[in-house]
Amino acid sequence: MTDKVVVITGGSRGIGRATAIAAASRGFRVVVGYASNLAAANEVVSIIEAKNGKAIAVKCDVGNEHDILALFKAADEFGTLGALVNNAGIVGPTSRVDEMSAERIQRMMAVNVTGSILCAREAVKRMSTRHGGKGGVIVNLSSVASKLGSPSTYVDYAASKGAIDSFTIGLGHEVAGEGIRVAAIRPGLIDTEIHASGGEPDRAQRLSHMVPMKRVGTADEIANAVVWLISDEASYVTSAILDVSGGR
Ligand code: NAP
């Protein structure tokens, strides 16, 4: 158990929601970031508080640096930062590259890549022993798309997750001597609303036959891996990428 603060971007729904609830059950004070769905974020806070945990909801579009600075300011007022989960991520509608607009690609990279790097910057400033911090953990949500490339679906998304893999390795090495561990999880097909936001609500179920385990995963199965990585049980794990994908 810990009483440190964990910042979870996109903590209002899906994998972030499950991670927020799981982290609170291990004693973390949870900052639930959300982009626009205040009701969903408040529900996560209520669930945590009903179990005597501590949580706050903070609006933060990670595509906006000003929002990120406000998110970490709120976290500072809530306690000592011990972990960041870079969970917020978006997909676009199914599309070939030769059909993609510059605006779509720029937004994809702004949210999935720049947002994660800026959040990590703020976390390192607070957790690194180089800056007087006490150490901590950063977990980035990548995707098996970084290996598969997602042809004719969303190559831009896959490329953004490839960037997250490289970022995880590099930042992990950069801060390994400063008390900070950095890891990524590559989920496979997980049953959340992200598929509906890409215009294909049944995508995960439809493709489940391609998973060696022949089923989609749950948000809780990803959350369990995240809370292990942010715990001391993973104390020798850094610059590591863990596939949680049913073998995909
Ligand atoms: P989801 O169900 O669509 O939930 C997305 C969450 O992120 C929501 O809390 C949403 O907030 C928030 N969000 C969306 N855009 C944001 C932005 N610009 N700034 C900050 N927060 C934002 O997604 P999910 O399936 O849980 O995915 C979570 C992460 O896992 C993503 O990085 C995704 O790429 C990765 N992943 C998912 C799967 C999968 O199959 N589900 C597979 C591989 C990787 P609001 O509630 O306010 O909208």
Side-chain angles (χ1 to χ4, degrees), residues 9-17 33-38 40-41 60-63 86-91 107 111-112 141-145 157 161 185-195 197 203-204 219:
T9 62
S12 46
R13 291 185 293 118
I15 291 166
R17 177 186 196 272
Y34 68 97
S36 60
N37 197 332
L38 174 61
C60 173
D61 173 351
V62 299
N86 265 325
N87 168 77
I90 55 170
V91 297
R107 177 70 179 160
V111 172
N112 291 7
L141 268 292
S142 175
S143 168
V144 293
Y157 171 80
K161 295 304 187 179
I185 290 176
R186 281 195 293 227
L189 288 166
I190 309 302
D191 186 16
T192 73
E193 292 168 352
I194 201 170
H195 311 289
S197 68
R203 180 170 187 272

Side-chain angles (χ1 to χ4, degrees), residues 59-126:
K59 187 172 176 359
C60 173
D61 173 351
V62 299
N64 178 327
E65 184 180 16
H66 183 266
D67 277 12
I68 290 172
L69 296 177
L71 177 72
F72 281 86
K73 186 164 180 291
D76 290 342
E77 289 162 8
F78 200 42
T80 303
L81 188 69
L84 162 67
V85 182
N86 265 325
N87 168 77
I90 55 170
V91 297
T94 295
S95 184
R96 286 172 47 98
V97 168
D98 54 15
E99 299 162 347
M100 288 178 192
S101 67
E103 290 74 21
R104 168 197 166 120
I105 298 165
Q106 280 158 359
R107 177 70 179 160
M108 183 73 62
M109 297 303 161
V111 172
N112 291 7
V113 182
T114 309
S116 294
I117 296 174
L118 290 177
C119 286
R121 179 191 74 189
E122 294 307 307
V124 168
K125 281 185 193 170
R126 288 158 175 82

Side-chain angles (χ1 to χ4, degrees), residues 138-217:
I138 297 172
V139 175
N140 300 317
L141 268 292
S142 175
S143 168
V144 293
S146 74
K147 299 187 295 180
L148 302 173
S150 306
S152 304
T153 310
Y154 28 61
V155 165
D156 54 345
Y157 171 80
S160 77
K161 295 304 187 179
I164 289 299
D165 289 356
S166 302
F167 175 59
T168 299
I169 294 164
L171 181 65
H173 290 175
E174 191 166 298
V175 298
E178 301 170 22
I180 300 178
R181 296 186 293 105
V182 185
I185 290 176
R186 281 195 293 227
L189 288 166
I190 309 302
D191 186 16
T192 73
E193 292 168 352
I194 201 170
H195 311 289
S197 68
E200 278 198 275
D202 65 342
R203 180 170 187 272
Q205 295 295 346
R206 184 170 54 78
L207 298 179
S208 60
H209 68 279
M210 298 170 75
V211 180
M213 286 179 71
K214 302 295 179 204
R215 68 168 178 86
V216 300

Side-chain angles (χ1 to χ4, degrees), residues 218-238:
T218 66
D220 285 337
E221 289 177 308
I222 304 303
N224 288 339
V226 177
V227 293
W228 173 69
L229 283 169
I230 64 174
S231 79
D232 288 342
E233 288 182 14
S235 54
Y236 202 48
V237 179
T238 200

